[in-house]
DNA sequence: AGATTGTTTTAGGAATACCTAAATTTAATA
DNA sequence: TATTAAATTTAGGTATTCCTAAAACAATCT
């Protein structure tokens, strides 16, 4: 049986794999804010129960059972996020936290109804694809990290990482949100920070920040 | 600290007290579907933590701390129920179960937003009052149990107990839902069952059922 | 290769919230 | 009042999920 706790592990694993990140025990410990020892134990359990395969130091892969479960969770999470944002008007940087709680407490039926209510959205407010009921994950255009944009290039924000609500809050403040157009004005070699223009205003962003924003290049 | 489990106890206690029912340990055990032993233990804890006062065989009373918590929970529960029913169109007899899960996983902020979205409803779809943010509970007109209606009397359904989703489903089937008008056509002395007319159709209802429906008498 | 650093596991515990079975206490009834 | 019935508690366990500290192991750097 899958519990709230196991669900958290599966979701975190899936989300990182989705971004092409190697998932090991300590990454999970850090993201879930629990001890390495606890993660080690839980990974053994999840592995015994055939949710995933785990080679220490080499990373985790989800097995069919785990993937199905994880996709379901991510679906729930993103449908709630979209709903909270689009329908209830919960601020952009708050929806992730709220959805994290709701995703464990709603029936499949309710999720399907919410989806229908919103007319089957494909992407959540952070630009992540919403898996469909049948497990299909909408494809996204190939995106480039903002940190990899060259000077004078422009683009549209299509996706942002939603790990930190403080980051999201800041993005919101400077207007760097989904769909917005921006241009790179300047790039500093010593720290890779850049100055970008959004809606006729210039903002300086750090490399760290720029690595969490994905955009479609405009040529 | 209050956990999901403690919240369940507090909600059940509050709901029964609200209906003027004496709440003892075995009632809770039955309604939460857990052993008497577990309830006994938990009541000791909740009592130590000043959520309630408990005199064995004499019943439970909520103390200030417990009442505040319970009212908050009931508020959450009923706001979710109303939302699911009115906005998402989840069937009447399914909302209670769904809300039971959601009530533990939503912030105060979200609850307030849902309330605002619906324009501050006073009663949930089963006719129960929705406590306001400040703890005030909307008053209801004095209601009479359907089982106490005499032959030839008519009334409007104003409240139904939502313990059993099967009961609700049945009420839904025969059209005995909030706001509906009915008349008592016949009453049988040997088992206290009655025949009532709803929307020009006659239905036989048991005493048990009639004890769970509350109505406003029409004179 | 050896030392250092980072990752993972083990050992031993704690908290929460359940369980069954048996004992005890109280209330209701004959 | 004595007995029976019902409600409650105790005793002894279990499962889950987390913890810290220490040990073991693997990868990387010099």
């Amino acid at each position: 049986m899958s519990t709230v706790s196991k669900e958290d592990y599966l979701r975190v694993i899936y989300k990182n794999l989705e971004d092409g990140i190697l998932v090991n025990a300590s990454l999970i410990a850090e993201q879930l804010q629990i001890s390495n020892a606890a993660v080690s134990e839980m990974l053994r359990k999840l592995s015994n129960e055939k949710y995933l395969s785990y080679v220490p130091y080499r990373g985790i892969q989800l097995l069919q059972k785990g993937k199905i479960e994880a996709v379901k969770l991510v679906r729930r999470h993103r449908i709630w996020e979209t709903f909270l944002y689009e329908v209830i008007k919960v601020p952009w940087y708050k929806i992730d936290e709220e959805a994290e709680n709701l995703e464990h407490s709603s029936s499949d039926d309710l999720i399907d109804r919410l989806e229908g209510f919103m007319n089957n959205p494909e992407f959540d407010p952070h630009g992540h694809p919403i898996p469909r009921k049948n497990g299909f994950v909408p494809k996204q255009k190939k995106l480039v990290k903002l940190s990899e944009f060259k000077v004078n290039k422009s683009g549209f924000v299509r996706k942002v990482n939603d790990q930190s609500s403080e980051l999201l809050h800041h993005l919101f403040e400077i207007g760097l949100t989904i769909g917005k157009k921006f241009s790179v004005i300047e790039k500093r070699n010593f720290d890779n920070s850049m100055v970008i223009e959004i809606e006729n205003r210039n903002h300086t962003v750090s490399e760290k920040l720029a690595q969490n924003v994905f955009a479609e290049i405009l040529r």
Side-chain angles (χ1 to χ4, degrees), chain A:
Chain A
M1 251 294 292
S2 143
T3 61
V4 167
S5 200
K6 284 180 182 169
E7 289 181 357
D8 284 334
Y9 282 83
L10 291 175
R11 175 176 44 77
V12 162
I13 293 166
Y14 179 91
K15 280 206 60 169
N16 284 287
L17 290 177
E18 186 184 36
D19 291 341
I21 294 167
L22 183 135
V23 184
N24 55 20
S26 49
L27 181 81
I28 298 175
E30 196 211 308
Q31 294 191 5
L32 289 180
Q33 295 270 64
I34 53 185
S35 72
N36 287 325
V39 174
S40 177
E41 233 179 296
M42 183 60 103
L43 287 179
R44 186 161 19 104
K45 274 194 212 167
L46 290 170
S47 176
N48 283 340
E49 293 167 25
K50 305 268 180 268
Y51 282 101
L52 49 82
S53 83
Y54 171 40
V55 183
Y57 299 92
R58 280 297 150 79
I60 293 161
Q61 289 303 128
L62 289 175
L63 299 179
Q64 194 185 21
K65 188 176 166 191
K67 198 165 181 178
I68 289 172
E69 183 85 8
V71 167
K72 220 180 202 172
L73 286 163
V74 167
R75 167 174 163 79
R76 287 175 184 205
H77 185 90
R78 293 178 183 169
I79 283 180
W80 270 119
E81 281 194 330
T82 311
F83 186 79
L84 293 175
Y85 183 69
E86 299 288 346
V87 181
I88 312 297
K89 312 295 183 199
V90 173
W92 195 53
Y93 48 89
K94 282 190 181 178
I95 58 179
D96 184 73
E97 201 189 353
E98 203 81 62
E100 221 148 275
N101 298 319
L102 294 170
E103 78 188 21
H104 302 294
S105 342
S106 26
S107 68
D108 286 347
D109 179 60
L110 175 56
I111 293 299
D112 297 344
R113 284 180 202 272
L114 291 174
E115 186 181 36
F117 186 86
M118 296 185 290
N119 259 312
N120 312 303
E122 290 205 294
F123 297 95
D124 77 13
H126 301 128
H128 299 109
I130 300 174
R132 293 219 224 294
K133 195 180 168 60
N134 65 12
F136 173 80
V137 181
K139 281 280 166 295
Q140 219 158 9
K141 286 210 195 77
K142 200 176 151 38
L143 302 177
V144 178
K145 273 188 193 161
L146 170 55
S147 56
E148 281 158 18
F149 269 62
K150 302 241 161 59
V151 172
N152 286 325
K153 287 285 176 186
S154 299
F156 289 105
V157 180
R158 291 290 184 238
K159 187 171 82 132
V160 301
N161 278 342
D162 54 1
Q163 314 275 44
S164 148
S165 100
E166 276 139 54
L167 168 64
L168 290 175
H169 200 334
H170 183 69
L171 292 178
F172 181 74
E173 293 283 309
I174 65 177
L176 204 59
T177 53
I178 306 298
K180 289 288 185 66
K181 187 182 168 184
F182 65 90
S183 308
V184 178
I185 305 297
E186 197 184 324
K187 217 172 165 173
R188 297 178 188 126
N189 281 321
F190 61 95
D191 68 351
N192 291 316
S193 65
M194 44 214 293
V195 175
I196 59 178
E197 186 191 310
I198 312 155
E199 290 174 334
N200 298 318
R201 297 193 56 174
N202 284 5
H203 301 277
T204 305
V205 301
S206 70
E207 183 183 22
K208 264 272 169 62
L209 183 150
Q211 285 170 343
N212 285 288
V213 175
F214 299 80
E216 192 182 332
I217 286 193
L218 201 109
R219 45 190 83 254

